Amino acid sequence: MKITSISRKLLTRVLSVYFILTVSVTGVQIIAEYFNTKSHINSELLTLQKTISGSLTRAVWELNTQQAVDISEGLIAIPMIQGITVTDEANNVITQLGEVLTLPSLDSQKTYNEHQSISSLSDGLFGHSFPLIFEFSGRTTTVGTVTLLSSNDVIFSRIEVGIYFLIGNAIVKTAFLVFLFSLAFAKLLTEPLQDLTAQMKRLDLHDPEASKFHSMNDERNELDILEDAYNNLIDELVEFKDKLALSQRETNSANDKLDEQNLLLEQEVARKTSTLSRTLLKMEVQQKEMLKQQHQLEDENNRRRKTESTLITTNKDLKSSIIELSKAQDRLLEAEKMSSLGQLSAEVSHEINTPIGISITSISYLSDITAKLQQDISAQKLSKRTIDNFIGNAQQSIELLSSNLQRAAELITSFKQVAVDQTNDKVRLINIAKYLDEIIQSIHPKLKKTNHCVKISCDSHIEIYTHPGAIAQIIINLIINSIIHGFHNINRGMINIDVSIEQQRLVICYKDNGVGINKEQLDKLFDPFYTTQVDKGGTGLGTHIIKNLVIDTLNGSIDAYSESGEGLSYRMMLPDMRYS
């Protein structure tokens, strides 16, 4: 196995942290030196501005272009100045020397009168632009502008020596620290550990006392603690050897006593033999008790057989119930003639198949475990655990059968009520809130195939005499229209149905958050055979039927509201309704 030096590992970690700190501090110092030097150069540019402003202003005012050029050439000779541009009041260039930086156009006289700082990171240039203002008879006139530019190269030339000094200082300090730490770790850790290791290898198990550590170090540190621990271990080893010798002597003495006990044991065996006959008599009594328990177990098996017979009868009754449910479903599908209920009945049938399928599976499982129990009884392998498992599994199967058959019954009841109402034109008293829940329950198989949601807001005490079949057909057609047309390319649609009483009238407000329709489509919404999806099988009769049901059958009124992209809403008012 490869040996990793602790001193080298510690030295590497300490020096890594020191190196990172040194690089960070040196970088911060260089950046600070850069910005400090840049600030000094800016100050020098401002001072130079005050020096040349007067002479350049007079030269530009007097149209002395040569003088302006001479002053500019004198300025560009200064190492700090990398570029100079002088323009007149019309922003025409009088002279332009050195680096050039494109400035934004000046739109007003106010801009001429303002001092501007200039900086370009991409070109590495910075400086100032200031106006040339000529005073005459107490009035001031801006005659032009001057732009003085310096560059990062000037900054780096000034701080170059400082940078080399900072880097050299960091390198020297780092090299000295590496040497100092290496020497210290070797003296204080590596050499003492090597000495301790060499002494440990000379350990003599026959004379451990002579293998103790003898340190010549006067300081008290962790290595001295390690030496003390090792010496204490040697002392314990010597003590253990003494105890081992004592134990050996005691073992020899115990062997002698064991021989004496063997003689006594032989005598005891003879005495135990006499008691064996009495034990055999007791075993015969226990055998009789076991036979009695066997008879009791046979009686328990008989009771279990009766329970099994009851379960088989229940199983047959459940199968008969399922057959009757299937027949009832067939009768419902055969009796349904309306096209709007045809698709709905097929979806309800598919929904009922799920709990019925689970019920059939549960009955098959119950039949299998019953057969397994009969095999165990025939093979006389019946145990309490087997019976308990059978009862537990049978109860779970019965509970599963009950819950799924109840679910199928609820679906059939909701669909039957809505279907009968739509085929029967009789007026009866209904609770609006409960009846809307039944309608939603009957079309639940269609809704659950989507991510859309229907929210109903209705007072649970509203009851009216009306045509329930007409209301069911209206609500179903509205929801199907929203799903097919309104929620086209919409994953999660929301439908809100609000029911209230206003001035002795029942008001039903239906709204979805679908794609909506424009004004032209809204004007034709209730026209017969008008549809926006002719190429996809739309007949255009859905909204026309809804309007006829509201006006002719329910003697009410209906209005539609929509804007493209903001959904479609209907407001229906049913007059002269008895309510409570």
Side-chain angles (χ1 to χ4, degrees), residues 513-565:
N513 63 343
V515 296
I517 57 178
N518 56 37
K519 187 177 184 307
E520 180 182 357
Q521 294 172 331
L522 184 62
D523 294 337
K524 299 179 181 180
L525 180 63
F526 295 112
D527 293 346
F529 305 105
Y530 176 75
T531 177
T532 59
Q533 296 189 5
V534 177
D535 55 342
K536 296 183 179 179
T539 62
L541 293 175
T543 52
H544 180 68
I545 292 174
I546 292 173
K547 182 178 179 180
N548 288 340
L549 289 172
V550 173
I551 296 175
D552 298 336
T553 305
L554 300 178
N555 194 25
S557 62
I558 180 171
D559 296 304
Y561 310 90
S562 177
E563 288 185 11
S564 181

Side-chain angles (χ1 to χ4, degrees), residues 450-485:
T450 69
N451 294 323
H452 308 316
C453 177
V454 179
K455 182 179 180 182
I456 299 175
S457 177
C458 178
D459 187 353
S460 60
H461 301 291
I462 298 178
E463 295 181 351
I464 63 172
Y465 281 97
T466 186
H467 297 272
I471 293 179
Q473 191 169 357
I474 289 169
I475 299 299
I476 291 174
N477 283 348
L478 288 175
I479 293 176
I480 292 176
N481 276 351
S482 294
I483 294 174
I484 296 176
H485 303 285

Side-chain angles (χ1 to χ4, degrees), residues 397-439:
S397 298
I398 292 171
E399 290 174 359
L400 193 61
L401 279 169
S402 176
S403 63
N404 281 276
L405 291 177
Q406 181 65 28
R407 170 62 179 161
E410 291 175 356
L411 287 171
I412 292 174
T413 301
S414 298
F415 174 74
K416 181 180 179 182
Q417 184 62 61
V418 174
V420 169
D421 287 336
Q422 291 193 56
T423 56
N424 191 347
D425 198 29
K426 292 183 179 180
V427 175
R428 66 182 178 90
L429 180 66
I430 63 171
N431 182 292
I432 291 295
K434 292 182 179 179
Y435 194 69
L436 288 177
D437 288 339
E438 290 180 357
I439 294 172

Side-chain angles (χ1 to χ4, degrees), residues 200-424:
M200 286 182 181
K201 291 181 179 180
R202 293 196 296 268
L203 174 64
D204 186 4
L205 295 177
H206 298 288
D207 187 12
E209 189 70 26
S211 301
K212 285 187 175 182
F213 287 160
H214 301 286
S215 176
M216 300 301 293
N217 189 7
D218 295 333
E219 295 181 358
R220 186 68 179 174
N221 52 30
E222 288 82 355
L223 295 177
D224 292 327
I225 295 174
L226 179 62
E227 292 178 2
D228 293 341
Y230 180 78
N231 291 335
N232 291 334
L233 180 62
I234 294 297
D235 294 336
E236 292 177 0
L237 181 61
V238 173
E239 184 179 356
F240 177 75
K241 287 184 65 178
D242 295 337
K243 290 181 179 179
L244 183 62
L246 179 61
S247 299
Q248 188 65 34
R249 291 193 295 270
E250 291 177 352
T251 301
N252 293 332
S253 176
N255 288 333
D256 296 337
K257 292 180 179 179
L258 183 61
D259 293 337
E260 296 178 358
Q261 291 296 327
N262 287 334
L263 295 175
L264 296 176
L265 183 61
E266 292 177 357
Q267 296 175 359
E268 184 68 19
V269 170
R271 185 176 64 82
K272 293 293 184 181
T273 303
S274 62
T275 60
L276 182 59
S277 57
R278 293 194 297 269
T279 303
L280 292 175
L281 294 175
K282 292 180 181 180
M283 290 179 63
E284 291 179 358
V285 174
Q286 292 177 354
Q287 184 178 5
K288 292 180 181 179
E289 292 179 354
M290 290 179 64
L291 291 174
K292 182 179 179 181
Q293 292 178 356
Q294 183 177 0
H295 291 307
Q296 293 176 352
L297 183 60
E298 290 177 354
D299 295 337
E300 182 67 21
N301 288 337
N302 292 330
R303 289 194 295 270
R304 301 298 183 189
R305 290 191 185 95
K306 293 180 181 179
T307 303
E308 179 188 355
S309 177
T310 303
L311 290 174
I312 293 173
T313 303
T314 304
N315 187 17
K316 292 180 179 178
D317 293 339
L318 289 174
K319 288 183 178 179
S320 299
S321 299
I322 292 174
I323 293 173
E324 291 296 325
L325 285 174
S326 299
K327 292 179 179 179
Q329 179 184 355
D330 294 336
R331 287 194 297 271
L332 284 174
L333 294 175
E334 183 179 358
E336 187 56 66
K337 300 299 181 181
M338 296 177 62
S339 61
S340 63
L341 291 178
Q343 181 180 4
L344 185 61
S345 62
E347 292 172 345
V348 170
S349 174
H350 180 271
E351 185 74 5
I352 293 175
N353 283 337
T354 300
I356 290 179
I358 296 174
S359 301
I360 293 174
T361 303
S362 300
I363 291 173
S364 299
Y365 177 71
L366 188 61
S367 176
D368 292 339
I369 62 175
T370 302
K372 180 65 169 59
L373 181 64
Q374 182 65 41
Q375 292 176 1
D376 292 339
I377 294 173
S378 300
Q380 294 184 355
K381 295 181 180 180
L382 190 63
S383 64
K384 185 177 183 302
R385 180 178 179 182
T386 303
I387 295 172
D388 291 340
N389 289 337
F390 172 78
I391 293 174
N393 293 331
Q395 289 176 347
Q396 291 179 0
S397 298
I398 292 171
E399 290 174 359
L400 193 61
L401 279 169
S402 176
S403 63
N404 281 276
L405 291 177
Q406 181 65 28
R407 170 62 179 161
E410 291 175 356
L411 287 171
I412 292 174
T413 301
S414 298
F415 174 74
K416 181 180 179 182
Q417 184 62 61
V418 174
V420 169
D421 287 336
Q422 291 193 56
T423 56
N424 191 347

Side-chain angles (χ1 to χ4, degrees), residues 84-110:
I84 180 170
T85 301
V86 180
T87 62
D88 58 15
E89 59 181 346
N91 208 23
N92 296 320
V93 177
I94 297 175
T95 178
Q96 192 174 61
L97 301 175
E99 298 289 346
V100 178
L101 182 64
T102 302
L103 296 175
S105 62
L106 302 176
D107 298 329
S108 66
Q109 188 64 27
K110 181 179 178 182

